Amino acid sequence: MSGSSERTTKLKSLTLRITDPETARVAAVHRATGEIVGAGCVVDSKHILTCFHVAAAALTPRTLERGRHVPVTLVGAEGQPTVTTTVRKLGDNRPEYDLALLEIVDQPRFQCSRVEFASLWRHGDKPYSVLGFPGGDRQGRNATGRLHAADAKGLVQMDRGGA
């Protein structure tokens, strides 16, 4: 069996790790060179939600548009495979629209339930815990803190520490 076929076989039965549900949905977005530029969240078996500015940083030139390919490592999946994604939906570089939806295109989809996001109006004074990749750190670093009520544009402030 070729290396490509072996990888495909592994991905057909791929699932998220259940031992660490807080970070199981984390994805590392990177350049074709492997340099990590940011994080994303696996929202279902075929989509990853990330920031517009993160997806743009993965590309050369940094022109983000639908159809561009962005490499992503599924950090929370068994074997941590790297997959190719395609930009499906875009916000823009304004803070309140800093979103990009990526779709896995180069591999069979893996088993993953749809993520459940918190209610928009119930986040004030709630603790959070996230895993990110500052400075391209492949191991990742955790940050914790508290969420605050949304501002006039609907953005939620995240303070570090005190969670």
Side-chain angles (χ1 to χ4, degrees):
M1 187 183 285
S2 72
S4 175
S5 297
E6 288 174 10
R7 184 174 183 206
T8 301
T9 301
K10 288 180 185 176
L11 284 175
K12 284 182 181 176
S13 61
L14 187 65
T15 59
L16 295 177
R17 293 188 311 248
I18 59 170
T19 57
D20 55 348
E22 289 181 334
T23 60
R25 291 185 180 272
V26 174
V29 179
H30 49 87
R31 294 187 174 112
T33 61
E35 179 186 359
I36 296 175
V37 295
C41 175
V42 176
V43 294
D44 61 27
S45 62
K46 63 181 180 175
H47 294 102
I48 295 150
L49 183 64
T50 190
C51 295
F52 181 95
H53 76 271
V54 169
L59 301 171
T60 303
R62 293 184 180 197
T63 305
L64 191 57
E65 55 195 25
R66 287 186 191 104
R68 294 283 312 261
H69 294 289
V70 177
V72 174
T73 298
L74 303 175
V75 174
E78 296 171 2
Q80 297 186 342
T82 295
V83 296
T84 299
T85 66
T86 296
V87 177
R88 287 293 174 221
K89 293 187 180 182
L90 287 172
D92 58 41
N93 59 4
R94 292 175 292 169
E96 63 270 29
Y97 299 104
D98 188 17
L99 293 171
L101 184 66
L102 310 176
E103 183 176 349
I104 299 170
V105 295
D106 70 339
Q107 300 293 336
R109 295 181 178 119
F110 61 97
Q111 299 301 313
C112 174
S113 61
R114 184 177 291 165
V115 71
E116 292 182 31
F117 290 100
S119 168
L120 294 174
W121 306 111
R122 298 185 182 181
H123 50 268
D125 201 37
K126 299 267 197 265
Y128 73 86
S129 175
V130 296
L131 175 68
F133 304 94
D137 182 345
R138 297 194 77 73
Q139 182 73 25
R141 295 287 177 251
N142 287 290
T144 60
R146 296 201 85 65
L147 300 174
H148 296 278
D151 65 13
K153 288 189 174 186
L155 301 175
V156 176
Q157 179 177 324
M158 300 171 71
D159 287 341
R160 268 190 89 171

